[in-house]
């Protein structure tokens, strides 16, 4: 499954890298790419229950997930 998650507070490439690394560490995530210009994180994952953990990982990197 692939999901685009829109965020705020991801203002530079260093933060985007931090977000991508945090999301990739979540069980079930197969790929994650953070795009500063689009303010979004594209995540590929195979575990339907991983969405809450993905949002938590993004938040742990200091970025706010938009509803």
């Amino acid at each position: 499954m692939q999901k685009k998650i829109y965020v705020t507070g991801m203002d530079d490439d260093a933060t985007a890298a931090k977000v991508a690394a945090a999301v990739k560490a979540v069980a079930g995530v197969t790929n994650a790419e953070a795009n500063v210009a689009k303010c979004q994180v594209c995540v590929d994952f195979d575990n339907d229950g991983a969405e809450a953990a993905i949002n938590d990982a993004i938040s742990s990197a200091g970025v706010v997930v938009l509803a």
Side-chain angles (χ1 to χ4, degrees), residues 12-29:
D12 56 36
D13 290 337
T15 304
K18 193 175 179 182
V19 169
V23 173
K24 286 178 182 177
V26 174
V29 172

Side-chain angles (χ1 to χ4, degrees), residues 12-59:
D12 56 36
D13 290 337
T15 304
K18 193 175 179 182
V19 169
V23 173
K24 286 178 182 177
V26 174
V29 172
T30 56
N31 191 37
E33 294 180 21
N35 186 312
V36 174
K38 294 182 179 180
C39 297
Q40 71 182 15
V41 182
C42 294
V43 184
D44 294 320
F45 59 100
D46 57 13
N47 181 354
D48 288 337
E51 290 188 52
I54 291 167
N55 289 344
D56 289 344
I58 292 170
S59 297

